[in-house]
Amino acid sequence: MLLNSDNFKGFPRRYRSNFFNSLLGYKPVLLVGSKSKGGKENLAVFSSAVHFGADPPLVGLVSRPHSVERHTLENIKETGSYTLSHVSPHFFKAAHQSSAKYPANISEFAAVGLSPAYQTNFQAPYVNESEVKIGLSLKEIVPIKLNNTLLIIGQIKWVELAKQNILQDGSLDFDALETISVTGLDTYHQATKLEKLPYARPESSK
Amino acid sequence: MLLNSDNFKGFPRRYRSNFFNSLLGYKPVLLVGSKSKGGKENLAVFSSAVHFGADPPLVGLVSRPHSVERHTLENIKETGSYTLSHVSPHFFKAAHQSSAKYPANISEFAAVGLSPAYQTNFQAPYVNESEVKIGLSLKEIVPIKLNNTLLIIGQIKWVELAKQNILQDGSLDFDALETISVTGLDTYHQATKLEKLPYARPESSK
C-alpha cells in the first residue's frame, strides 16, 4: 500500500501521531532526570535520544517546548545538568507512567515508584534502579523552526555501569544488560542479538 | 564503576567510538537511498534517525560531512530527495556491508546485493527487499558547530508498506514486520514485544 501526503492529511490526529512515531522502528527509551534550582526533582521518559559524536561525547534530545517535557526542559535550562538512565524489564511500566501529566509540585520519581540517587557534585538525579546511568552537561539548545521543536545537545560527563557490562572492544554488552527499547509511544520490547558483524570493507562484498 | 571525562580521554579511539555509539541503547537501523543528478545510485546504512514531529512528518539524520556518508549527503543536497528502508533479518548483513568505503563509481546496491526500486516521479531509489519504505524531501540542513556534524531534516512524502502491518491505532505492527535494530556500530538485534501500555495518566499511578 502506498500512502502519500494526501493520505497523511486524512489521518485522525492520534492515528497520525502513532503512525509517524512508530515509523522509523526501534528507539532507545531513556529516563531523563533533572532537578530545579529550588530542589524539585523531575523525571520524564524520552525516545528521541540520538548519538551526535564520541569526541567530545555528545547526545541530542528532541523536545517540544510546551509538552509534558516542559519541566525537564526548564530544569535543564536553569541548571545545565541532567541524566539519562536505561530502562530494564522490571520497571518499564514505571518508566512509561512518568509520561503522565503530573502537576509541577509532584516528583515523578515518587509518583511512579523509582528512586532518585546522586553523584557527588552533580545537580541532577538519576534512577537508582537503572543498570546504566549517564550524566550530561548542557552545551547548546538548537531551535528547529520548521516545527517549533528544540534539539537539546549535551556532553556526557560521567557514566556509571557495572564493569562486566562493557565488552573488550568498548561497546556495551546488551545480552547482559537487558535494556529495553520502544516503538511508537507505548510499545516496549526486549531484544535478542542476531550477530555482531566485523568492520565492513569493500573487499568483503559477496 | 564510575567513568568520568578523564577516563574518556584515556580511551583508545576505536574503544571510545564503540562505547559512546552503544551507550544510549537500541537504535533504528535504516538504509538511506539516494541518486545523484548524474544518475549514480547510492546506499548507506544510518543508525542516527530521529522522529522530529508528526505534523508535518519530519525525520532528522545526523551526518558527518567527511565520512563514508559523504556521497549520500551530496546526493541529498543536490536533489533534495532520499529514502529510508527498514532492514529485515534476511538482509542485515548486506545492510551492514553498505557501510564499507566503496569508490564513488560503485553503487552500493550492486556491491552488497540489494535491489534499487523507484516510486513514480521520485528521484531516490529505495530497497526493494524492505518491508517499509519511506520517501523524503529535504527541508533543512542544520549545522551543529559543536562538533562539525550536520542534522539533515526531511519531510516524509510517501510510505510504502503492507496494509496488514498497520495496527488499528495507526502504529506499525512490529511483531509482524521483524524489523531489526542495532546497538553500537555493528551489533544487530531482533526484538520481542513485552507489552503495549495504555496512555499514562496521573491517576493511574501505583
Side-chain angles (χ1 to χ4, degrees), chain A residues 1-5 8 14-30 48-59 62 64 84 86 89 92-93 96-97 99-102 111-113 119 132 134 139-140 142 144-147 149-151 153 156-163 166-172 174-175 179-181 183 186-206, chain B residues 1-5 8 14-30 48-59 62 64 84 86 89 92-93 96-97 99-102 111-113 119 132 134 139-140 142 144-147 149-151 153 156-163 166-172 174-175 179-181 183 186-206:
Chain A
M1 178 172 56
L2 182 64
L3 297 164
N4 63 26
S5 297
F8 303 157
R14 188 124 199 104
Y15 185 99
R16 181 189 187 96
S17 173
N18 287 328
F19 182 77
F20 288 111
N21 268 286
S22 71
L23 187 60
L24 302 177
Y26 293 90
K27 302 176 288 185
V29 53
L30 294 156
S48 63
V50 62
H51 172 75
F52 256 90
D55 192 8
L58 299 177
V59 175
V62 180
R64 259 154 291 194
L84 301 174
H86 280 214
F92 77 97
K93 291 182 188 181
H96 182 71
Q97 182 60 34
S99 65
K101 287 177 185 128
Y102 291 103
V112 308
Q119 296 292 350
V132 182
I134 305 164
K139 295 302 283 185
E140 191 178 354
V142 182
I144 306 298
K145 285 172 197 144
L146 277 170
N147 67 344
T149 51
L150 301 171
L151 176 66
I153 303 181
I156 297 172
K157 305 309 270 187
W158 55 262
V159 177
E160 194 188 328
L161 79 173
K163 194 174 179 179
I166 309 179
L167 299 172
Q168 210 175 352
D169 73 350
S171 59
L172 270 58
F174 285 95
D175 289 340
T179 294
I180 68 169
S181 64
T183 59
D186 56 13
T187 308
Y188 296 86
H189 308 262
Q190 254 190 302
T192 310
K193 186 166 71 185
L194 282 165
E195 199 171 333
K196 185 175 172 78
L197 296 177
Y199 187 79
R201 298 176 195 283
E203 58 272 24
S204 49
S205 285
K206 62 172 193 177
Chain B
M1 178 174 55
L2 181 64
L3 297 164
N4 63 25
S5 297
F8 303 157
R14 188 126 197 103
Y15 186 99
R16 181 189 187 97
S17 174
N18 287 329
F19 182 77
F20 289 111
N21 268 286
S22 71
L23 187 61
L24 302 177
Y26 293 91
K27 301 178 287 185
V29 52
L30 294 156
S48 63
V50 63
H51 172 75
F52 255 91
D55 192 8
L58 299 177
V59 175
V62 180
R64 259 154 291 195
L84 301 174
H86 280 214
F92 78 97
K93 290 182 188 181
H96 182 71
Q97 182 61 32
S99 65
K101 288 179 183 127
Y102 291 104
V112 308
Q119 297 293 349
V132 182
I134 306 164
K139 297 301 282 184
E140 191 178 355
V142 182
I144 306 297
K145 285 172 196 143
L146 276 170
N147 67 344
T149 52
L150 301 171
L151 176 67
I153 303 181
I156 297 173
K157 305 309 269 185
W158 56 262
V159 177
E160 195 189 326
L161 79 173
K163 195 176 179 179
I166 310 179
L167 298 173
Q168 211 176 351
D169 74 349
S171 59
L172 271 57
F174 285 96
D175 290 339
T179 295
I180 68 170
S181 63
T183 58
D186 57 13
T187 309
Y188 295 86
H189 308 262
Q190 254 189 303
T192 310
K193 186 167 71 184
L194 282 166
E195 200 170 333
K196 186 175 171 76
L197 295 178
Y199 186 80
R201 298 176 196 284
E203 58 271 24
S204 50
S205 284
K206 65 171 190 178

